C-alpha cells in the first residue's frame, strides 16, 4: 500500500468531512492528493487569481485568509491543522475573492476537486457538512470548538454570511427554450444560438422530461457519437433536476454540486410533474455571487455620498421583501438587515469625519431604540447618542462643538438615505444627547436612582443600544453603569414596570381590536404601540433586572429569559414567538404601503390573518401578570 497515501488518510479521517468516508475511500482520495510545503509568508493563492482545480486542507502550521477593502488588508480567518479552505471552485466559477498566505511554515494537502466530487454526490453526510459549513461561517472559526470546520471563501466574515446565501434571491431565465421530445438536434442547436441560450428543456404536456445543454452538443454531437439528425430524446439528460421558484442561491449551488449538473429546471411546485417556469444555469449563480449582501457591505464601504448609500438601502428593501415572500424566519432577516443598516450608519459617520477632519477625542456613536435592538426592517426613524471621552475643562466646549457638527452631518446623510430623525429629538445632534462619558454616567445615574422626577426626560429606548462606531470601552462603561445601578433598585423597576403596562390594551372587553378613534389613522389598529412595544418593554425590563448583559434584541431576550427563569419558560417562549408574528404583520403593512407599518387596516386582513393577529396578542396578558407579580408596582401606578 502507498505509505504516503496511508499517512494522509490517517490524518484526514480525524476531520470532517473526510471522517464520513470509509477508510478505503479515503485511501483512494489520498492517492491523488498533492503535498505542498508552503514557507512562511508565501502565498498559495491571492485575490483575483484563477481558481485552482483543488481545494485544500492544512496538515500542519497556520495559514491566514485575508481580503483587501479600501486599500486595507483584513484578516478573515486563521486556518489550523484539519481546517478546509479554498472551496470556491466547488461553488462558483469566478476568481478567488481572498488571499491564502502562510503565517508560519505550513504543509498543505491539495485535494483534486474532480477526485472528491463523486464522494460529495454520493455521501449525504459529506454534502451536509458542506451545506452546513457553507450556511454558517463562524465569527471565529479557528477556535478550538470549531477545529476542523470548513472555512468558506466569503468576503463577508460574519455569522450572517452563510444565512445570506439561504435567502438571497436568484435571477434566472424566466423564458427558457422549450422543445418537444421529437425535435431534431440540428434545429434545437440553431434555436439555442438564436436565443443566446445554453440549454433547452424538453417537455411533454409542458412538464419537463429532460434537458440538453451546450455541453451535450459538444460531447455527444461534435465528437460524432450521434448525428445532427438525431432527435433530442437521444442526447438529453433525463430526468431533469427540478427546483421550486423560490430556490435560494445556496440551495441551487448545492443541487448542482450534488447531481453534478450545470442547469436546474424551475417548475411551479419544484417537481417534474409541474409546469416549467424557467431554467437556472451556473452563470446565473456567478452573477448572484456579485449581488449578495456581502457585496452590499462592500458597496457601502466604498460609497462616497448619501445618494450611493440610498441605492444600497433600496437593494436591502428588495432583499427584505424577497425574504419575507419566501417565508424566511424573521429573526434571520433581522440579522442581515441589522448588519447592513449598521454598515450604512457607520459609513455616514465616516463620510462626516472625512468632511470635518479627525475627531479631537475618542468617542462612541450608539444607535438606540429599534436600530440598537437590530429590529429595523422598514424605513423608520433614526435614534442615536454620542459619548465622547472626558477632556480638560477648557477644551470641553470646542470638543462638544466638533461632535455636534459631526452628528449633524452624519444624521443629514442618513436622512437623505431615508431615515428621518427621531420626532422626539433622540439623536446625537441634540445637545442633550451628545456629551462626555462622565456626563452620560451622571445622566444614567439620575434616570435610575431618581426615576420619575423628570420623567419627561427619560425614555426607555436609551437602555437599548449598540455601538456603531468608535471605542468599545466607552460602550462597556455605559453598560457597567446601568447594571451597577440596577442592583436592588426596586424604585427603578417600579418605574419601568409601570411604563411597560401603561399602553392601552390591544383588545377591548368584547375581544375586539381597540382601533384609533380619530385622526388620519381612524379605525386602524396601532400595532406598534398596542402590541409590539409592550413586548419590547417587558423584555427590556426583565433583561435588565436579571442581568442579561449584551442582549438587546427582543426575541433573543425572551429566548434567554426562558433559560434564566425556567419557572416562566412558557410565557417567555410564547412572547418571543408573538413578537415575530406581530413584527411580520407590521413589516408586510409597511412594505405594502411604503410606510412605517405602525397602523394596520384590520378590514383588509383575511379572516385567518385576523385570528392569527388576535392569537399573537394572547401572551401579553401573561406577560402583564408576570410583571405585576415580580415587581411591586406601587409608587408610579
Amino acid at each position: 500500500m502507498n505509505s504516503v497515501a496511508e499517512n494522509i488518510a490517517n490524518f484526514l479521517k480525524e476531520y470532517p468531512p473526510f471522517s464520513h468516508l470509509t477508510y478505503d475511500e479515503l485511501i483512494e482520495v489520498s492517492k491523488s492528493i498533492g503535498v505542498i510545503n508552503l514557507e512562511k509568508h508565501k502565498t498559495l493563492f491571492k485575490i483575483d487569481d484563477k481558481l485552482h482545480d483543488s481545494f485544500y486542507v492544512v496538515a500542519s502550521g497556520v495559514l491566514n485568509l485575508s481580503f483587501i477593502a479600501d486599500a486595507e488588508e483584513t484578516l478573515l480567518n486563521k486556518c489550523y491543522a484539519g481546517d478546509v479552505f479554498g472551496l470556491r471552485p466547488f461553488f462558483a466559477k469566478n476568481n478567488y475573492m481572498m488571499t491564502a498566505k502562510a503565517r508560519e511554515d505550513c504543509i498543505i494537502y491539495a485535494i483534486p476537486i474532480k477526485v472528491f466530487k463523486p464522494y460529495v454526490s454520493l455521501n449525504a453526510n459529506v454534502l451536509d457538512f458542506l451545506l452546513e459549513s457553507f450556511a454558517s461561517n463562524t465569527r471565529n472559526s479557528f477556535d478550538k470548538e470549531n477545529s476542523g470546520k470548513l472555512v468558506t471563501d466569503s468576503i463577508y466574515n460574519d455569522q450572517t454570511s452563510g444565512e445570506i446565501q439561504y435567502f438571497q434571491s436568484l435571477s434566472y431565465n424566466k423564458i427558457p427554450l422549450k422543445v418537444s421530445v421529437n425535435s431534431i438536434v440540428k434545429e434545437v442547436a440553431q434555436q439555442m444560438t438564436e436565443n443566446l441560450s445554453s440549454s433547452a428543456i424538453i417537455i411533454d404536456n409542458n412538464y419537463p422530461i429532460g434537458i440538453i445543454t451546450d455541453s451535450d452538443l459538444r460531447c455527444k454531437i461534435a465528437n460524432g457519437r450521434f448525428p445532427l439528425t438525431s432527435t433530442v430524446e437521444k442526447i438529453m439528460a433525463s430526468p431533469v433536476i427540478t427546483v421550486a421558484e423560490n430556490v435560494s442561491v445556496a440551495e441551487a449551488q448545492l443541487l448542482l454540486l450534488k447531481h453534478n449538473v450545470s442547469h436546474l429546471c424551475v417548475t411551479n411546485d419544484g417537481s417534474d410533474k409541474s409546469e416549467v417556469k424557467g431554467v437556472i444555469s451556473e452563470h446565473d449563480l456567478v452573477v448572484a455571487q456579485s449581488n449578495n449582501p456581502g457585496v452590499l457591505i462592500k458597496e457601502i464601504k466604498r460609497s462616497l455620498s448619501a445618494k450611493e448609500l440610498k441605492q444600497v438601502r433600496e437593494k436591502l428593501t428588495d432583499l427584505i421583501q424577497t425574504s419575507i415572500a419566501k417565508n424566511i424566519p424573521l429573526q434571520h432577516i433581522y440579522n442581515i438587515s441589522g448588519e447592513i443598516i449598521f454598515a450604512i450608519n457607520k459609513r455616514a459617520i465616516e463620510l462626516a469625519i472625512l468632511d470635518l477632519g479627525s475627531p479631537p477625542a475618542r468617542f462612541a456613536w450608539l444607535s438606540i431604540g429599534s436600530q440598537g435592538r437590530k429590529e429595523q426592517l422598514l424605513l423608520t426613524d433614526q435614534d442615536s447618542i454620542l459619548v465622547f471621552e472626558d477632556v480638560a475643562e477648557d477644551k470641553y466646549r470646542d470638543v462638544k462643538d466638533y461632535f455636534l457638527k459631526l452628528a449633524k452631518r452624519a444624521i443629514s446623510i442618513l436622512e437623505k438615505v431615508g431615515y428621518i430623525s427621531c420626532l422626539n429629538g433622540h439623536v446625537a445632534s441634540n445637545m442633550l444627547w451628545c456629551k462626555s462619558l462622565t456626563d452620560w454616567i451622571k445622566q444614567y445615574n439620575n434616570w435610575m436612582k431618581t426615576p420619575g422626577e423628570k420623567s419627561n426626560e427619560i425614555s426607555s429606548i436609551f437602555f437599548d443600544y449598540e455601538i456603531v462606531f468608535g471605542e468599545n470601552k466607552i460602550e462597556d462603561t455605559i453598560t457597567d453603569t446601568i447594571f451597577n445601578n440596577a442592583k436592588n433598585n426596586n424604585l427603578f423597576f417600579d418605574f419601568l414596570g409601570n411604563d411597560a403596562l401603561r399602553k392601552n390594551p390591544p383588545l377591548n372587553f368584547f375581544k375586539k381590536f381597540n382601533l384609533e378613534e380619530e385622526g388620519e389613522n381612524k379605525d386602524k389598529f396601532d400595532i406598534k404601540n398596542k402590541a409590539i412595544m409592550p413586548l419590547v418593554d417587558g423584555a427590556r425590563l426583565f433583561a435588565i433586572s436579571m442581568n442579561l448583559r449584551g442582549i438587546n434584541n427582543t426575541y433573543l431576550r425572551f429566548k434567554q429569559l426562558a433559560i434564566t427563569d425556567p419557572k416562566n419558560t412558557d410565557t417567555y417562549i410564547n412572547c418571543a414567538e408573538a413578537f415575530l408574528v406581530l413584527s411580520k404583520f407590521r413589516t408586510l403593512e409597511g412594505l405594502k404601503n411604503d410606510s412605517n407599518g405602525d397602523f394596520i387596516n384590520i378590514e383588509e386582513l383575511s379572516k385567518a390573518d385576523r385570528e392569527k393577529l388576535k392569537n399573537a396578542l394572547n401572551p401579553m396578558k401573561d406577560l402583564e401578570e408576570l410583571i405585576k407579580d415580580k415587581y411591586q408596582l406601587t409608587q408610579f401606578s
Side-chain angles (χ1 to χ4, degrees):
M1 190 180 282
N2 183 330
S3 62
V4 175
E6 209 173 326
N7 289 339
I8 292 173
N10 286 333
F11 172 81
L12 291 179
K13 71 179 183 185
E14 302 298 324
Y15 300 99
F18 312 103
S19 53
H20 298 301
L21 303 186
T22 66
Y23 192 69
D24 288 344
E25 286 172 335
L26 268 180
I27 289 290
E28 273 311 300
V29 171
S30 299
K31 285 176 186 173
S32 309
I33 288 176
V35 180
I36 300 168
N37 288 301
L38 198 65
E39 293 174 20
K40 187 176 180 179
H41 300 320
K42 292 287 182 192
T43 299
L44 182 63
F45 55 78
K46 60 182 187 297
I47 295 166
D48 262 352
D49 277 0
K50 284 199 161 55
L51 297 181
H52 298 179
D53 55 9
S54 297
F55 69 101
Y56 301 101
V57 181
V58 178
S60 68
V62 183
L63 182 127
N64 283 353
L65 294 177
S66 60
F67 79 99
I68 292 167
D70 303 326
E72 192 180 309
E73 189 166 12
T74 303
L75 179 68
L76 282 181
N77 262 307
K78 292 178 191 172
C79 300
Y80 293 85
D83 283 337
V84 181
F85 69 98
L87 268 151
R88 192 156 197 80
F90 262 125
F91 298 113
K93 302 297 176 198
N94 47 341
N95 296 349
Y96 284 112
M97 298 179 81
M98 57 172 59
T99 294
K101 187 191 283 186
R103 188 177 178 186
E104 55 189 58
D105 289 348
C106 292
I107 295 173
I108 307 289
Y109 292 151
I111 305 172
I113 285 171
K114 261 188 184 170
V115 173
F116 196 69
K117 232 178 184 177
Y119 298 103
V120 177
S121 306
L122 298 170
N123 190 315
N125 288 323
V126 175
L127 182 61
D128 285 348
F129 174 81
L130 292 181
L131 187 67
E132 188 185 324
S133 304
F134 193 63
S136 58
N137 191 15
T138 56
R139 192 179 288 276
N140 178 16
S141 63
F142 47 89
D143 61 23
K144 282 178 184 160
E145 251 179 76
N146 291 302
S147 183
K149 282 279 175 78
L150 169 151
V151 181
T152 64
D153 257 340
S154 166
I155 53 158
Y156 178 45
N157 183 40
D158 200 273
Q159 286 167 319
T160 56
S161 65
E163 287 173 8
I164 285 164
Q165 301 271 356
Y166 267 85
F167 58 85
Q168 184 192 335
S169 56
L170 177 58
S171 296
Y172 54 85
N173 181 3
K174 304 275 199 311
I175 42 169
L177 178 59
K178 294 184 275 190
V179 298
S180 72
V181 73
N182 299 317
S183 301
I184 304 300
V185 168
K186 183 180 179 182
E187 292 166 4
V188 173
Q190 284 169 342
Q191 285 177 276
M192 284 168 67
T193 304
E194 287 162 12
N195 283 279
L196 301 175
S197 176
S198 61
S199 65
I201 304 285
I202 292 84
I203 59 164
D204 185 17
N205 289 328
N206 210 23
Y207 293 171
I209 58 168
I211 185 170
I212 63 168
T213 66
D214 283 342
S215 173
D216 293 318
L217 295 175
R218 286 195 303 274
C219 301
K220 296 173 184 175
I221 302 295
N223 67 5
R225 277 174 62 195
F226 296 91
L228 269 170
T229 52
S230 305
T231 59
V232 289
E233 187 180 18
K234 294 275 194 295
I235 68 163
M236 71 183 186
S238 182
V240 65
I241 307 304
T242 54
V243 292
E245 291 180 84
N246 62 354
V247 68
S248 70
V249 172
E251 289 162 334
Q253 283 177 319
L254 287 152
L255 281 168
L256 291 180
L257 180 66
K258 181 178 181 180
H259 297 285
N260 200 19
V261 295
S262 58
H263 291 71
L264 301 169
C265 178
V266 181
T267 65
N268 229 346
D269 67 4
S271 78
D272 59 4
K273 297 289 182 285
S274 174
E275 191 180 333
V276 174
K277 290 290 183 181
V279 65
I280 297 168
S281 68
E282 286 181 314
H283 174 74
D284 296 326
L285 294 175
V286 172
V287 171
Q289 288 285 322
S290 64
N291 240 344
N292 72 30
V295 175
L296 291 189
I297 297 280
K298 270 182 85 175
E299 279 183 36
I300 291 165
K301 286 181 175 178
R302 291 173 179 171
S303 294
L304 294 171
S305 67
K307 187 181 175 185
E308 289 175 9
L309 288 174
K310 187 176 183 182
Q311 287 166 350
V312 180
R313 182 58 185 77
E314 285 163 356
K315 290 180 187 176
L316 173 61
T317 301
D318 293 341
L319 182 68
I320 291 166
Q321 217 151 2
T322 306
S323 307
I324 287 180
K326 290 166 70 171
N327 283 323
I328 302 302
L330 203 66
Q331 193 52 33
H332 290 324
I333 305 173
Y334 273 139
N335 288 344
I336 301 298
S337 177
E339 293 299 332
I340 292 173
I341 292 169
F342 265 56
I344 290 171
N345 276 264
K346 185 178 181 187
R347 190 58 183 157
I349 299 160
E350 287 170 350
L351 292 175
I353 291 172
L354 285 171
D355 236 1
L356 278 180
S358 296
R362 285 175 295 189
F363 73 103
W365 180 294
L366 306 182
S367 269
I368 59 173
S370 61
Q371 271 188 8
R373 295 190 302 271
K374 286 194 175 165
E375 290 167 5
Q376 193 178 54
L377 296 179
L378 301 163
L379 271 170
T380 50
D381 58 358
Q382 50 167 312
D383 306 87
S384 55
I385 64 173
L386 193 148
V387 190
F388 54 86
E389 67 180 342
D390 293 325
V391 293
E393 206 175 321
D394 58 334
K395 289 183 180 171
Y396 186 94
R397 193 169 169 180
D398 288 342
V399 169
K400 179 161 181 166
D401 189 46
Y402 169 90
F403 284 117
L404 283 169
K405 283 180 186 163
L406 172 74
K408 199 172 178 184
R409 292 197 185 203
I411 283 160
S412 169
I413 290 168
L414 291 169
E415 283 177 336
K416 287 172 187 165
V417 172
Y419 297 104
I420 59 167
S421 286
C422 172
L423 300 175
N424 296 317
H426 297 146
V427 281
S429 57
N430 182 334
M431 287 186 72
L432 285 172
W433 316 130
C434 173
K435 48 195 173 190
S436 71
L437 183 55
T438 293
D439 284 348
W440 269 111
I441 290 170
K442 283 180 190 166
Q443 178 75 73
Y444 278 100
N445 285 344
N446 288 341
W447 277 337
M448 296 183 75
K449 286 176 180 171
T450 56
E453 282 189 12
K454 293 182 180 175
S455 58
N456 62 325
E457 269 193 20
I458 186 173
S459 174
S460 48
I461 66 166
F462 287 97
F463 295 88
D464 298 333
Y465 54 81
E466 189 155 343
I467 188 165
V468 174
F469 190 97
E471 298 288 320
N472 287 308
K473 283 181 182 172
I474 292 176
E475 184 195 29
D476 291 343
T477 305
I478 297 286
T479 303
D480 289 342
T481 302
I482 290 170
F483 282 97
N484 287 337
N485 273 323
K487 288 172 189 165
N488 305 315
N489 191 340
N490 294 335
L491 194 63
F492 175 64
F493 293 118
D494 185 354
F495 181 85
L496 271 195
N498 276 290
D499 192 47
L501 301 182
R502 202 164 277 133
K503 311 280 190 301
N504 289 328
L507 301 175
N508 62 23
F509 179 76
F510 301 103
K511 301 291 180 199
K512 301 275 188 192
F513 290 100
N514 259 334
L515 306 179
E516 298 300 290
E517 293 177 3
E518 54 191 14
E520 60 179 309
N521 295 301
K522 189 175 185 297
D523 296 329
K524 288 185 179 177
F525 177 61
D526 184 349
I527 193 168
K528 179 189 174 183
N529 287 309
K530 286 180 181 160
I532 294 172
M533 289 315 295
L535 292 171
V536 171
D537 292 342
R540 180 195 304 112
L541 166 66
F542 287 124
I544 296 174
S545 73
M546 292 188 204
N547 201 31
L548 300 186
R549 295 170 68 112
I551 305 175
N552 302 330
N553 179 270
T554 302
Y555 175 79
L556 294 180
R557 277 172 168 168
F558 279 128
K559 295 289 270 188
Q560 187 58 47
L561 286 164
I563 298 165
T564 308
D565 182 17
K567 276 193 302 184
N568 298 296
T569 292
D570 288 349
T571 299
Y572 297 129
I573 293 293
N574 291 339
C575 286
E577 297 306 323
F579 174 75
L580 293 183
V581 171
L582 294 166
S583 298
K584 190 168 181 179
F585 270 106
R586 183 188 179 197
T587 304
L588 287 169
E589 182 73 20
L591 291 171
K592 185 174 76 178
N593 297 310
D594 197 20
S595 69
N596 57 19
D598 289 353
F599 294 91
I600 303 267
N601 190 333
I602 299 293
E603 293 302 313
E604 289 179 3
L605 297 180
S606 67
K607 189 179 177 186
D609 277 346
R610 278 201 293 271
E611 281 308 303
K612 193 176 179 185
L613 178 55
K614 208 172 269 189
N615 289 338
L617 302 172
N618 289 336
M620 290 171 61
K621 196 71 191 157
D622 293 333
L623 183 67
E624 191 178 316
E625 292 307 316
L626 197 55
I627 291 171
K628 287 175 180 172
D629 183 53
K630 279 190 179 284
Y631 309 101
Q632 277 77 51
L633 303 182
T634 52
Q635 184 158 334
F636 299 101
S637 296

